[in-house]
Amino acid sequence: MKRILAIVFILIIGFWMAKALDQVPFGEDRMLVGKYYLEHVKEETGAVNAVTAVVVNYRGFDTLGEVTVLFIASTGVAALLWRKKRERTAKTEGSVVLTTGARLLLPFIMLFGAYIFIHGHLTPGGGFPGGATIATAFLFLYLAFTVYEIDHKIFEPLEGLAGVGYVTVGLIGLAIGGYFLFDWIWQTWGIGRENIGRLFSAGFIPIIYTLIGIKVGTELTGIVDNMVKEPEEGGQ
Amino acid sequence: MSQYASLLIALPLFSAFFIPILKRISKNAVMPFLALVTLIQTGIAAWVFSEVYSTGKPIIIMTGGFKPPVGINLYIGHFAALFVLVIAVASFLMAIFSVKSVSVEPKDKYAMLFLLLMLGATGMISTGDLFNLFVFMEITAISAYALTAYNKTGEASEAALKYIVLGGVGSSFFLVGIALIYGSLGTLNMAHIAQLANLINPIAAKVGLALLIFGLAVEAEQFPLNAWAPDAYQEAPHPVTAMFSAFVVKASLYAIGRVVYILSAAEGWSSILRLLIILGTLTVIVGEMSALRQSNVKRMFAYSSIAQVGLIAVGLALGTASGVSASVFHMFNHAIVKALMFLAVGYVAVELGGAEMDKFEGLGKRMPVTAFAITIGAISIIGIPLFNIFWSKMQLILAALNARYTWVVALILGASLVEATYYIRLIHTIWFKGEGEKVKENSVLALVMLLLVALIMLIGIYPEPFWNVMQKAGSDIFNVAQYVKNVPLMGVSP
């Protein structure tokens, strides 16, 4: 009975939403603001990748917010799973093939992750996918080895430092250009104006994406680290 | 110069990111650092407030130097300037209270989440962009989930789980609503949406707005979606409960008011107001009825808070300028009173080990200052003359009469009657029951409570200057044409 009611209810909501969606001209020319982005990306931000330019430059405030959301998630997990003494409780070591494979693949994954976030303004990707790729490398180590643990003395301050760096870049923009998150490298200094489409261009996008990459990488690794550890017997 | 108001966002973010580094240097510095940052935030907010109210013009912050609607703008008008100050002051007071009341580790994580909760609410109030509103709502909500579960008891985890599930559903509704509006108008900037509102398809506008309201209603504690609130209020750390009630709810209510009024030119808009007024009325009735039977005082205050929030929603949905101003006044008054009451109840719970009704027997003899604070707060909420909430309830009643909603008057008066029943029962328990030895009260907290009490009486005796401020803040939400004019939109048009 409950199930039938739920199905009926969901069907009503679905119909209601479909009716509204029917009225929205998706796919037609509704590019009010979008057109502006496409036409002005190159001279205003220097990025070839329009998505990155929107994400970091035009709507950089949202990205700062998203970075914060991830930061809260990692802090929240750490706060909720906090115990005085916690250790890995994995029982079986991975097979030789797995451990050797992990060792061999590690530098490749790291390198590729770094490649993704450094080339954010040129190729698809950016800070979030790059950071997630790097975190995958650490996840690999956690899964393959029973004793592996990251160094918290480095990881937590690094995470904070990357965030502080992002806000500082924004504040320098406020001091130089007069606006928070102003792209001072591109708009005031004009560095890289002649080589759009190459690595050293697009103002502060590569810098911010590197910071985001580091931040996301350390945060996701921290979440994994917190979740695979259990309190020791007798520990609080 | 006015662009420096973006420090309101940058400072808490910077400080929250800085705490992991600070923790390496000195662990004991974290809590004083938290108090210091909130104090600086209060200073900036006070500067912004005086700037906006002396010039009469809103501060428009253009992030990245791009003009809206291409870039994101923050709009710190009369409403935002006022509530940013309320948020900062409430956070500062609660940061002081946290030093005393939060003993569960890890304190550094607590300080980060605390700052980000403040940041999220500040951003929700000041943003001028629909998607940015969503991002700040997520910041507020996710830090609220983590802070609810912070005490790590079974009940706290359960409360946080309820909250997280409902909040997740609400956020997805909100996002679908944004997609509908963006799909039909092609812009996310609120001023731009308001400008184009008469072009939007009526069905898309109605469904989109309803989805936005349902999404925000989880945070704003409106009836069918507020089941998480009593549990979360009861189990969260005491300062956090006060913050929920003082400004997290208010930020969401304001967001509801803002998104509703920017689309007021759309066809079929009045049916959305009707939806909101029904939600608000049900919230008042359910909240008051549940508060009657509570034996835990913190939970009772939580239900009472929900009921007050319902009144605010009803005021917002009256659809008139005086209704909006009256509910802004009620938001302001309720923020002060509930910050005071949750502070006092939390302090009692810390000292006496729990917030059940029997702990409050003889409180008048054991902790006289705290008991006095609770009593003043209770009297004020009932709406007795010479205290602040009398005036805001009065304005709500007048606004309802003007808007020809006579039954709303009955709702407000009935709610006050029920409030009187359970608050007078509490006051009776505090002063006329039980015996007890005197507990030494913390002088800083006593001072904070007395300051808030003084503020309540000040507004109660001289409501005029405050009411003038509230009318300006209310017209900031209601007068959409002025809002559009204030935002320097660049010429992107269909």
Side-chain angles (χ1 to χ4, degrees), chain B residues 111-271:
Chain B
M112 292 182 222
L113 293 169
F114 184 102
L115 280 177
L116 294 170
L117 188 67
M118 174 176 91
L119 165 91
T122 310
M124 276 178 85
I125 296 249
S126 53
T127 188
D129 188 280
L130 204 52
F131 187 77
N132 200 236
L133 176 66
F134 173 73
V135 172
F136 277 117
M137 187 178 103
E138 285 294 278
I139 293 179
T140 317
I142 297 177
S143 41
Y145 306 149
L147 282 171
T148 304
Y150 185 78
N151 282 338
K152 298 191 203 90
T153 57
E155 290 87 1
S157 311
E158 191 198 326
L161 191 67
K162 263 188 207 165
Y163 188 8
I164 209 168
V165 171
L166 269 173
V169 173
S171 307
S172 356
F173 273 157
F174 191 84
L175 201 56
V176 176
I178 292 179
L180 270 177
I181 289 178
Y182 181 72
S184 28
L185 287 179
T187 181
L188 287 167
N189 189 282
M190 288 185 191
H192 205 193
I193 290 175
Q195 206 177 38
L196 304 176
N198 54 345
L199 299 177
I200 194 170
N201 180 295
I203 295 177
K206 259 191 263 179
V207 175
L209 261 184
L211 285 168
L212 291 185
I213 288 178
F214 270 112
L216 285 165
V218 177
E219 291 296 313
E221 296 165 16
Q222 297 302 311
F223 165 60
L225 300 160
N226 60 6
W228 61 271
D231 289 350
Y233 276 56
Q234 191 182 343
E235 296 304 329
H238 307 301
V240 175
T241 308
M243 287 167 81
F244 281 175
S245 179
F247 60 73
V248 173
V249 182
K250 308 293 175 348
S252 318
L253 277 168
Y254 155 74
I256 288 185
R258 177 64 89 202
V259 296
V260 167
Y261 281 101
I262 55 171
L263 277 169
S264 56
E267 264 175 79
W269 175 70
S270 54
S271 59

Side-chain angles (χ1 to χ4, degrees), chain A residues 2-13:
Chain A
K2 232 176 175 178
R3 195 172 289 175
I4 296 170
L5 266 179
I7 291 172
V8 170
F9 192 57
I10 290 172
L11 281 178
I12 293 173
I13 293 181

Side-chain angles (χ1 to χ4, degrees), chain B residues 5 13 15 17 23-24 56 67 88 111 136 139 146 169 178 201 256 279 332 342 346 379 422 466 471 475-476 487:
Chain B
L13 257 184
S15 318
F17 290 147
K23 194 185 102 187
R24 285 274 153 249
K67 277 197 164 178
F136 277 117
I139 293 179
V169 173
I178 292 179
N201 180 295
I256 288 185
L279 285 183
F332 180 74
F342 278 114
I379 293 175
Y422 58 78
F466 291 94
Q471 276 176 318
S475 74
D476 193 32
V487 180

Side-chain angles (χ1 to χ4, degrees), chain A residues 172-187:
Chain A
I172 294 173
L174 182 64
I176 294 181
Y179 298 103
F180 186 54
L181 290 175
F182 184 76
D183 190 348
W184 39 283
I185 297 180
W186 180 259
Q187 307 223 17

Side-chain angles (χ1 to χ4, degrees), chain A residues 23 30 32 37 59 62 79 180, chain B residues 64 70 129 132 152 184 201:
Chain A
Q23 307 293 326
R30 280 280 169 172
L32 260 189
Y37 290 143
R59 301 184 61 91
D62 283 343
F180 186 54
Chain B
V70 167
D129 188 280
N132 200 236
K152 298 191 203 90
S184 28
N201 180 295

